[in-house]
């Protein structure tokens, strides 16, 4: 039976929320789009007249589809070339979802999305629905076909796992932007010492090239190693210009509610570097350079007002 106009309107009303949920589940905008499309196909085939609460029905179908993807994704990532990082979303992307509370903003941050990779599929689902969308444990339990008590235990376990990787306190946006500007100045200066003063002692740098763009297979760890790497990255050189095809521009931006640097060449986003900035300094650089994971960012960049570049390093 073809869906009625009312059926389509009800689904479209839920679509922004479904996409935001699926992205947090999967860490991939393209996979989230596919999961929502598959949810729509099941909605088309359902007897919608018998569905009393469409939002609950759609969320359950989407969750089950994403659980299947999360399970298979674990196997795929065992053979992934190098480090795996989420697909970044630039500021203004509707898939970022609600940002009214600190919990909602943090649930889609690049750091937390990366940390959620250590959770089991059920832990990730419970954490996202509870922390980011404020679903009561009773409703989450119904979605997963578990008891409410089990749901609460899963949530506490998931929250503990995520908290273990985030032991520092975030600083305000103004201070974060100042540190980003100082970092760019220091990195372009070609000296290690100014960079060291901006980093935490245990700073790390992780890059995801997906086997398509050169990226170190293991993270740089420790302030000195990270500072030397960043100095080399932002020091001009013919080899780097040849690799990119010219001189890219670096912009200060926001990705996943996180201070970020966006590197653009010929209208195409070729890198998004998310900085984890704390009261002690820059604790982590997470750089997405896999072109497959930057297509959405490039489309959004083309339609946004991003001002002048802060640096043309190469």
């Amino acid at each position: 039976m073809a869906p009625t106009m009312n059926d389509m309107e009800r689904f479209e009303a839920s679509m922004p929320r479904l996409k935001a949920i699926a992205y947090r589940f999967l860490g991939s905008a393209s996979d989230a789009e596919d999961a929502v499309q598959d949810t729509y196909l099941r909605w088309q085939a359902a007897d919608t007249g018998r569905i009393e609460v469409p939002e609950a029905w759609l969320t359950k179908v989407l969750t089950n589809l994403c659980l299947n993807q999360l399970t298979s994704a674990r196997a795929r990532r065992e053979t992934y070339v190098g480090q795996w990082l989420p697909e970044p979303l630039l500021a203004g992307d509707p898939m970022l979802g609600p940002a009214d509370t600190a919990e909602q903003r943090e649930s889609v941050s690049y750091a937390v999305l990366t940390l959620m990779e250590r959770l089991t599929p059920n832990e990730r689902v419970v954490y996202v629905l509870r922390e980011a969308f404020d679903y009561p444990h009773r409703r989450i339990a119904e979605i997963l076909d578990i008891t409410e008590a089990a749901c609460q235990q899963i949530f506490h376990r998931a929250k503990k796992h995520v908290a273990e990787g985030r032991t520092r306190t975030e600083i305000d946006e103004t201070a974060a932007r100042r540190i980003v500007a100082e970092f760019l100045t220091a990195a372009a200066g070609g000296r290690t010492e100014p960079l060291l003063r901006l980093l935490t002692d245990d700073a790390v740098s992780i890059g995801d090239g997906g086997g398509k763009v050169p990226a170190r297979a293991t993270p740089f760890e420790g302030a000195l190693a990270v500072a030397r790497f960043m100095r080399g990255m932002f020091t001009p050189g013919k080899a780097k210009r040849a690799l990119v095809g010219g001189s890219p521009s670096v912009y200060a931006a926001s990705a996943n509610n996180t201070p970020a640097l966006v590197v653009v060449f010929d209208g195409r986003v070729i890198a998004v570097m998310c900085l984890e900035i704390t009261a002690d300094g820059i604790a982590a650089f997470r750089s997405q350079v896999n072109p497959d994971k930057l297509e959405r960012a490039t489309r959004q960049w083309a339609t946004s007002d991003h001002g002048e570049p802060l640096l043309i390093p190469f």
Side-chain angles (χ1 to χ4, degrees), residues 74 114-120 123-124 161-162 164-165:
R74 288 195 159 201
T114 303
L115 287 169
M116 280 199 287
E117 287 297 304
R118 67 177 64 180
L119 304 181
T120 66
E123 286 174 343
R124 187 160 185 161
H161 288 328
V162 172
E164 286 172 352

Side-chain angles (χ1 to χ4, degrees), residues 208-286:
D208 178 351
K212 300 186 176 184
V213 173
R216 184 181 167 98
T218 57
F220 290 93
E221 298 182 342
L224 183 58
V226 172
R228 286 173 173 169
F229 171 64
M230 291 298 165
R231 180 195 64 193
M233 177 182 293
F234 288 95
T235 300
K238 291 182 179 179
K240 279 179 283 189
R241 285 194 295 271
L243 178 65
V244 175
S247 295
S249 301
V250 181
Y251 296 80
S254 174
N256 294 76
N257 300 326
T258 303
L261 298 174
V262 177
V263 184
V264 181
F265 177 71
D266 197 23
R268 180 169 50 91
V269 174
I270 61 173
V272 175
M273 176 188 287
C274 293
L275 283 67
E276 185 177 352
I277 301 176
T278 74
D280 299 321
I282 304 173
F285 300 86
R286 297 180 177 90

Side-chain angles (χ1 to χ4, degrees), residues 64-125:
N64 285 329
L65 288 168
C66 289
L67 280 171
N68 290 337
Q69 284 205 46
L70 284 170
T71 301
S72 61
R74 288 195 159 201
R76 291 198 307 271
R77 286 169 196 168
E78 288 180 1
T79 59
Y80 191 82
V81 179
Q83 299 289 313
W84 186 95
L85 289 174
E87 181 178 348
L89 300 182
L90 300 182
D93 193 313
M95 200 175 281
L96 288 170
D100 298 326
T101 67
E103 290 78 13
Q104 288 173 336
R105 291 189 294 273
E106 185 168 88
S107 70
V108 78
S109 72
Y110 218 57
V112 168
L113 284 177
T114 303
L115 287 169
M116 280 199 287
E117 287 297 304
R118 67 177 64 180
L119 304 181
T120 66
N122 269 12
E123 286 174 343
R124 187 160 185 161
V125 164

Side-chain angles (χ1 to χ4, degrees), residues 1 44 54 63 65-66 106 110 118 120 126 129 137 141 167 183 190-191 197-198 219 229 278 280 287 298 305:
M1 181 184 296
Q44 281 185 306
T63 299
L65 288 168
C66 289
E106 185 168 88
Y110 218 57
R118 67 177 64 180
T120 66
V126 172
L129 291 179
H137 285 293
T167 58
F183 163 73
R191 295 175 56 237
R197 290 195 289 269
L198 295 173
F229 171 64
T278 74
D280 299 321
S287 302
T298 293
D305 180 11

